[in-house]
Amino acid sequence: MTLAVVTLAAGKGSRMKSDLPKVLHRLAGKPLLGHVLDAAEQLDGATQHVVIGHGAELVREMFTDRPLTWAVQMEQKGTGHAVAQALPDISDDALVLVLYGDVPLIRTETLAGMVAAAENALALLTVTLDDPTGYGRIVRNDKNEVQAIVEQKDASDEQRQICEVNTGIMAMPARYLKRWLPALSSDNAQGEYYLTDVIAMAVADGVAVNALQPSSATEVEGVNDRRQLAALEREFQSQQADSLMVQGVALADPARIDVRGTLTVGRNVSIDVGCVFEGDVILDDDVQIGAYNVIRNSKLGKGVQVESFCHIEEAVVAQACNLGPYARLRPGAELADGARVGNFCEVKKSLIGKGSKVNHLTYIGDAVIGEGANIGAGTITCNYDGVNKFRTEIGDGAFIGSNSSLVAPVTVGDGATVAAGSTITKDVGADELAVARGKQRNIAGWKKPSDQ
């Protein structure tokens, strides 16, 4: 039996107070819908169907890289109506799993349990809440068998005391859905076609209803407003922090870390407060991350130390390097073993050789720096003429004096020295001293400007 996952993502989300479709709002840097699709994608043999409506084209554009089948719900007539839009693309012998694009923390393990429980039956995911207000109640008989789901607005006073509620997530053979959905009625307080009404139909037809519960209530919480989104963000990040600490990472404060992608860690890694990790980040053994760093799609080698307030993006940092504070590595930056990039320095598309130092107030772009070089404070590789980028090469053991400008394309040879304050426009040979600055004049008796 094939598995068809139908995710409902047609809602506007008016309580978000935004023009963006609700399912495109981000949790941990990823659209809500993306989390749901990722969880379902790991199920064996799953094909994914997404029902869209409000902002349909925006939703399509966000997920063009995925093999999805789209269905459009032109009018919002309820969950039963939404699922019906996807059914024409689903074969009769499939098993259908219904999910919601605004429930981002659902776990693959929970969904796998639903699929297993839905063979020739209807599997229903329920949760027991201290305060069930607003949710559809699970009505059971004297044998504790599920009989129906009654929505809050249609429930009697007695039914409203029930604390077991519907999460909306269910699974069943497609042949049942195709029989039951056309029989749904909109004769209810909302005037909508409730998918939940198929529970009573299943009972009437003698189809078993198997109720399961998730690992925690937060797993099935939906997002309707900014407060709920923020609460789920913190829950997600708490889970990431727990996972990291289980792997041996020392977190200065587990409540102050944000992982917006995949963070792979080695042994003896420590992370101070306020750090953000985006995309795919790898931290090798003994990496020490200071406070308030942002690291995106980068790899940091063994023993790297990152001082506070650094931004590192699409960079590769080898062993025992030291960064910051206030260093910026832009895409294409690569540091060899033991290199240092210090205070208020920026490196873009450049190689910093083994043991070389770029310590203060410096821009290195489109450059190759050899081993053991020293780049003085205020140095700039002038790599851009307004149209084209050019390369600077600095040899092993070279010394670049403070406040120097190297106008690319230019080469500074091994062991060469550039005097402080120089503007270098021609190649400097190995072991040469380059002095390229105006002659100093001291003027006696000079009068400072005055406002008198």
Side-chain angles (χ1 to χ4, degrees):
M1 180 179 290
T2 59
L3 174 61
V5 180
V6 177
T7 302
L8 307 187
K12 180 178 181 180
S14 57
R15 281 180 278 175
M16 299 297 288
K17 310 295 185 185
S18 170
D19 293 333
L20 191 68
K22 180 170 65 171
V23 296
L24 295 188
H25 285 267
R26 292 179 178 270
L27 183 146
K30 182 190 299 182
L32 296 174
L33 178 57
H35 287 273
V36 181
L37 297 177
D38 284 348
E41 190 177 68
Q42 299 176 57
L43 297 169
D44 290 342
T47 60
Q48 301 222 48
H49 304 254
V50 182
V51 181
I52 50 180
H54 177 74
E57 289 309 310
L58 289 175
V59 179
R60 285 180 191 265
E61 290 171 8
M62 182 62 68
F63 297 100
T64 54
D65 59 334
R66 295 177 184 251
L68 303 174
T69 300
W70 300 96
V72 179
Q73 186 185 26
M74 299 301 296
E75 297 181 77
Q76 309 299 297
K77 295 182 178 181
T79 51
H81 178 259
V83 173
Q85 309 313 301
L87 282 187
D89 295 315
I90 297 173
S91 64
D92 291 354
D93 63 351
L95 188 146
V96 177
L97 173 64
V98 179
L99 305 179
Y100 294 82
D102 61 355
V103 182
L105 300 189
I106 190 67
R107 298 167 61 246
T108 301
E109 293 81 359
T110 299
L111 300 182
M114 294 286 294
V115 172
E119 185 175 354
N120 296 317
L122 188 155
L124 175 67
L125 193 64
T126 72
V127 65
T128 302
L129 302 176
D130 293 335
D131 180 6
T133 302
Y135 290 89
R137 307 307 202 273
I138 305 298
V139 178
R140 294 177 180 263
N141 62 16
D142 293 340
K143 297 179 180 179
N144 204 36
E145 298 169 332
V146 175
Q147 298 298 291
I149 298 174
V150 180
E151 297 299 327
Q152 167 91 18
K153 293 183 179 181
D154 302 305
S156 66
D157 290 341
E158 182 181 359
Q159 289 170 335
R160 291 186 182 191
Q161 302 306 309
I162 298 172
C163 291
E164 184 185 13
V165 301
N166 173 43
T167 68
I169 296 173
M170 59 181 70
M172 69 204 78
R175 65 182 185 276
Y176 293 156
L177 264 181
K178 292 187 177 185
R179 182 166 80 235
W180 295 332
L181 288 185
L184 292 178
S185 168
S186 61
D187 184 16
N188 51 60
Q190 291 285 83
E192 295 182 348
Y193 297 94
Y194 295 150
L195 178 63
T196 50
D197 288 347
V198 303
I199 303 299
M201 293 178 180
V203 173
D205 287 353
V207 175
V209 178
N210 299 323
L212 295 80
Q213 293 218 340
S215 59
S216 70
T218 55
E219 186 182 342
V220 291
E221 286 185 14
V223 173
N224 291 305
D225 58 33
R226 302 283 186 172
R227 293 171 301 176
Q228 291 175 330
L229 178 58
L232 290 188
E233 176 76 41
R234 292 329 312 158
E235 173 62 26
F236 178 89
Q237 296 302 341
S238 176
Q239 294 174 9
Q240 303 306 302
D242 285 346
S243 175
L244 289 170
M245 290 186 291
V246 167
Q247 296 174 69
V249 177
L251 298 180
D253 184 349
R256 289 189 283 172
I257 181 174
D258 284 86
V259 179
R260 302 170 185 168
T262 302
L263 178 56
T264 304
V265 295
R267 296 175 59 84
N268 196 39
V269 170
S270 71
I271 300 173
D272 209 331
V273 300
C275 293
V276 178
F277 301 91
E278 299 181 345
D280 294 322
V281 175
I282 299 174
L283 307 180
D284 208 335
D285 296 348
D286 303 316
V287 170
Q288 313 292 302
I289 306 294
Y292 302 105
N293 288 289
V294 178
I295 303 176
R296 180 182 301 118
N297 292 320
S298 296
K299 181 178 180 180
L300 277 58
K302 183 176 181 180
V304 168
Q305 294 191 25
V306 182
E307 306 295 340
S308 299
F309 301 105
C310 294
H311 281 233
I312 303 169
E313 179 179 5
E314 296 180 21
V316 177
V317 181
Q319 299 184 38
C321 293
N322 192 287
L323 305 175
Y326 296 99
R328 183 183 183 194
L329 301 187
R330 290 172 57 194
E334 184 175 348
L335 276 61
D337 292 350
R340 172 172 172 77
V341 175
N343 308 278
F344 301 101
C345 293
E346 179 178 340
V347 178
K348 188 272 299 184
K349 199 177 179 181
S350 297
L351 170 64
I352 311 297
K354 183 176 181 179
S356 290
K357 300 176 182 179
V358 183
N359 273 329
H360 315 286
L361 302 160
T362 292
Y363 171 71
I364 302 295
D366 297 278
V368 175
I369 298 176
E371 298 183 6
N374 186 86
I375 311 300
T379 296
I380 299 172
T381 57
C382 306
N383 58 325
Y384 184 49
D385 66 1
V387 177
N388 302 299
K389 297 289 183 72
F390 298 97
R391 177 169 159 139
T392 298
E393 296 186 12
I394 299 173
D396 297 344
F399 184 96
I400 309 299
S402 298
N403 199 34
S404 294
S405 298
L406 308 179
V407 182
V410 70
T411 298
V412 177
D414 293 347
T417 299
V418 173
S422 294
T423 297
I424 302 299
T425 59
K426 297 179 181 180
D427 291 350
V428 181
D431 300 314
E432 291 183 344
L433 168 64
V435 182
R437 57 193 181 201
K439 183 177 181 181
Q440 179 175 328
R441 293 189 302 147
N442 296 340
I443 301 173
W446 181 72
K447 299 295 184 182
K448 293 183 179 180
S450 172
D451 59 1
Q452 301 298 322

